[in-house]
Amino acid sequence: MQIILTHEQADFDALASLFAASLLNEQAVPVLPRRLNRNLQAFLTLYGREFPFVDPRDLSGEKIETALLVDTQSLVTLKGMGKKTRIRVLDHHPLRENLPDDWQITVDETGATVTLLTESLRDANQHLSVPQATLLLLGIYEDTGSLSYVSTTPRDVRAAAWLLEQGASLNIAADFLNTPLSPKQREIYELLSANAKTHEINGHQVVIACGDAQALDEEISSLAHKLRDLLEPDALFILVKTKEGIRLVARSSSDNIHVGKIAAEFGGGGHPRAAAALIKEHPLPSGEGWDEGGDAENAQHKGSKPNATRVPCAHLLKILPGYIQPSITVAEIMSRGPQVLSLETPVEEAAQLMQRFGYEGYPVVEDGKVVGLLNRRSVDRAISHHLDMTAASLMDAGEVTVAPNDALTTLQERMTDSGWGQIPVVDKGEVIGIVTRTDLLKTLAPDTPHAAETNYAALLESALPKVRLDLIRKVADAAAEQRVALYLVGGFVRDLILERPSLDFDFVVEGDAIALASNLVKKYGGRITKHDRFGTAKWFLEGSKFKVESLKIESDRLESSTFNLQSSALPTFLDFITARKEFYKSPTALPTVSRGSIKLDLHRRDFTVNTLALRLDRSHYGELHDHWGGLVDLERGLVRVLHSLSFVDDPTRILRAIRFEQRFSFTLGIRTRELMDEAHRLLAKLTGQRIRHELDLILDEPHAVEMFTRLIELDLLPAISPALKRDLGLADRLNTAFNTSQPPEFGEIERIAHLSKRRALGYLVWLLPLSIKDLRIVCKRLHFHASLEDALFATRSLCDDLPSLLDAKASEWAMRLDGIPPLALYAASLCPIDKILRERIGQYISTWRHIQPTIGGEELKERGLSPSPRYKEILSQLRAAWLDGEVKNEKEEIAFLENLLEEK
């Protein structure tokens, strides 16, 4: 006889695996465990006839030759088993130690055991009824949190998709995954709720609830789910006394807490997010009380006996710190690649480093080992006294270090004990980073105002049209299923509070942003591009279930310089960013990034008004997170950088500060203005592409004129290039170009290459007054597109020749202006030139450039002329005749041609 077994207190994965294994081996009998979870009992009451399950009491007792264990590695002995019974195991849990050598074991890392069996059914083209497919889907969904746990694999998703194709019902699955508590369960639930205690361990909120459940014949796991949803801890541990012994049920919502490993300490096991164990009872010393020792009086008052869970609970509390990784580690807030000093470093060199990079202290190392810390106070004192000393003489000696995985409490202790404000981070004997007192305080200090203090859900829903709001909700639902925190950040939140239109949907994910975007593509279609190094992804909505209406092309958007927030069109893509922090190894360099929290991610941004975040997942929907005072600065109308090295890290922020100041009619913070003055020379070290990108954005703005006026006022343009001297007429030229109507005779002017008309016109009007020499310097500095560069030089040369064309004929004008883009000619017409010259340029753009002879090369060939450069000469003369009025119709044109040919 062959049988299939699973574990007691079976869940849906166990039951589904029993059934799936029986389909793959029809000779084997799927034996139900003696105890089933209540939702499984309810499922079998309705659909049990669809399945070949056998009650263990109904077994014949004949000899059992083979037993297959599914979703478990623990054998339940049945009558008929003996030493010769062959045991096979199919499971997805980690392999247990000390299993018999003769067992045949298959363990594979999937989210659910039934996934392994479903793959075999799919390969065998097995047909399933709706209840059968639904049971298998329930097994996958229950063990993967409906495909949202981090332990979920692509194999689980593919298996679930096949089951849905087989007819699995999501409606039925939802009913049995969320069953209400029975009266007995409700009674124990209330007891556990009252006894639950919260402990902060390595920065995580851990809830432990203990109680007596000997009167309960149903499963405990439902209580764990309900308590977790109520309390929302990072981890939950339930210890209850049952008839079989003390049962431990554990749940985790954090990657830093692997409850499967913790349950293994008590002889159990499970997943990183869900685990259980059955613990032998511990005798209690006389007089010991309820659970953690603090509620004995209450328990006795209720008539309960002292609970045997106390000893396991004490042991659990003792071991938890060793299993729970810190919520924020030193590695998350440290600066990588630190500069270190040797013992021989002169004090002048140390002073220069401190002045250049702004650090208050430097580790001193000898043979790679930390031997001290040199701080600014000691350096300043030595310099003021003109002391010629080295780091060895000035440093605070010591070997104070932390490891990258240390908790912030460890870091705080090191700082307190040593008095050092900068602690080197050492890994495997190498100094890999440094963490400062400021880093620690910014992480530990309470927010002002407090994060999530205000809810903006109503404002969000009133501001967005239904189609966009629906899109955001779908993204939020996907984040909730994946159990990650989701935030709308930056410009969108800022503009929402300012009640200004915006289309910037930037999402930051505390977790895996690429995984979230990938799941959205699987669910709704479209495609993604990703950048693994930065943890970012773009979800392109074209081809998805969301209808993407055609947006105006980029050039039109830039020229209108406004958006209508109530537009029903969706963006073409959404950005997803993994919360990260950045470190700049040197001024103007691109940053080095690593994962971090939303608070650290917001701290890497440019200005406080751009650090606002709106959380969207689950019960947090609409919460405003303001860790860096952005809301107050919005109310005060202040542009303020987050830290003193902000402009040193990224000098493009100087130009951005001007843009935000003028766009919102804000004021630069006093300290921000000082830091700009100190760092403006670093603009010269930026690449031309980065500078040009910021200038592009300024030209796009409705207040571009005011922004350029401010750049001139602060003398920032010469910092970009010495050729950009103070230009007092620039504001008038830009104002004329952007804010006056184009004369009708110019008609519809084509763009220059891919550039928007507004950008190209802005650069032309700005730079045309420069000399050819300075123009060449600026074009090289800003790396202009070749088409724009050619237009600038051609138009600059034309401006020099314009006075000589005052009395020229139309054909002479055409010959001189041909080849210059009409937009560049329009820019030339905006320069301070004679009115007649402006009119002639208008005539050329609207009329003369379109005039061509009706006779072409074919007609010349028919007249016996062999193809040669002579063709171009003749056709040019014909066009000139038309332009100058010498030819007014085709008959006169033919006569003119005849004369030309006779002359030759």
Side-chain angles (χ1 to χ4, degrees), residues 566-718:
Q566 294 300 327
S567 167
S568 61
L570 288 171
T572 53
F573 62 84
L574 297 179
D575 280 316
F576 293 88
I577 303 165
T578 299
R580 64 185 193 260
K581 66 186 185 71
E582 294 179 345
F583 168 64
Y584 293 81
K585 291 186 177 179
S586 63
T588 77
L590 293 175
T592 299
V593 301
S594 59
R595 283 200 183 186
S597 65
I598 184 64
K599 185 173 183 180
L600 293 174
D601 183 89
L602 294 173
H603 187 254
R604 69 183 177 83
R605 295 172 184 270
D606 46 16
F607 308 105
T608 57
V609 295
N610 292 331
T611 63
L612 299 168
L614 209 61
R615 189 166 175 179
L616 299 175
D617 53 296
R618 288 188 173 172
S619 58
H620 303 286
Y621 182 77
E623 287 180 355
L624 180 70
H625 286 246
D626 178 16
H627 295 281
W628 308 106
L631 189 59
V632 172
D633 286 344
L634 273 185
E635 294 168 351
R636 295 162 59 195
L638 198 64
V639 177
R640 181 169 61 86
V641 289
L642 272 73
H643 55 86
S644 60
L645 293 178
S646 182
F647 294 130
V648 174
D649 287 343
D650 184 0
T652 62
R653 291 170 176 167
I654 295 172
L655 303 180
R656 227 170 296 156
I658 301 302
R659 183 152 52 90
F660 290 132
E661 177 199 37
Q662 297 302 313
R663 179 197 294 178
F664 301 121
S665 298
F666 280 8
T667 303
L668 294 175
I670 296 174
R671 179 58 177 158
T672 297
R673 171 67 188 279
E674 292 174 350
L675 295 171
M676 283 175 61
D677 291 341
E678 293 173 3
H680 79 279
R681 67 186 184 280
L682 295 176
L683 287 171
K685 296 186 178 182
L686 289 171
T687 64
Q689 291 90 334
R690 293 183 69 190
I691 288 284
R692 193 186 64 249
H693 175 70
E694 293 299 327
L695 294 173
D696 285 348
L697 295 177
I698 289 176
L699 288 169
D700 295 344
E701 294 275 352
H703 295 287
V705 177
E706 292 83 353
M707 293 174 189
F708 270 96
T709 300
R710 187 71 161 139
L711 290 172
I712 293 171
E713 178 185 327
L714 297 178
D715 206 27
L716 291 173
L717 294 180

Side-chain angles (χ1 to χ4, degrees), residues 202 330 401-403 405-415:
N202 288 340
V330 167
T401 64
V402 289
N405 291 327
D406 280 344
L408 295 192
T409 51
T410 302
L411 170 64
Q412 196 169 1
E413 289 172 3
R414 297 278 196 284
M415 284 188 173

Side-chain angles (χ1 to χ4, degrees), residues 755-772:
L755 300 170
S756 73
K757 292 180 185 177
R758 183 180 175 93
R759 284 184 184 175
L761 183 61
Y763 283 120
L764 288 162
V765 169
W766 173 21
L767 300 174
L768 276 179
L770 295 181
S771 67
I772 292 292

Side-chain angles (χ1 to χ4, degrees), residues 536-577:
T536 62
K538 283 183 184 292
W539 176 27
F540 291 89
L541 299 181
E542 192 67 39
S544 71
K545 294 180 181 179
F546 297 97
K547 181 180 179 183
V548 181
E549 300 182 9
S550 296
L551 294 175
K552 289 185 176 183
I553 63 173
E554 178 73 0
S555 61
D556 291 336
R557 179 182 77 83
L558 296 176
E559 282 156 29
S560 67
S561 299
T562 114
F563 277 120
N564 176 9
L565 192 59
Q566 294 300 327
S567 167
S568 61
L570 288 171
T572 53
F573 62 84
L574 297 179
D575 280 316
F576 293 88
I577 303 165

Side-chain angles (χ1 to χ4, degrees), residues 259-275:
V259 292
K261 294 179 179 179
I262 297 170
E265 281 275 346
F266 298 91
H271 312 293
R273 298 298 180 96

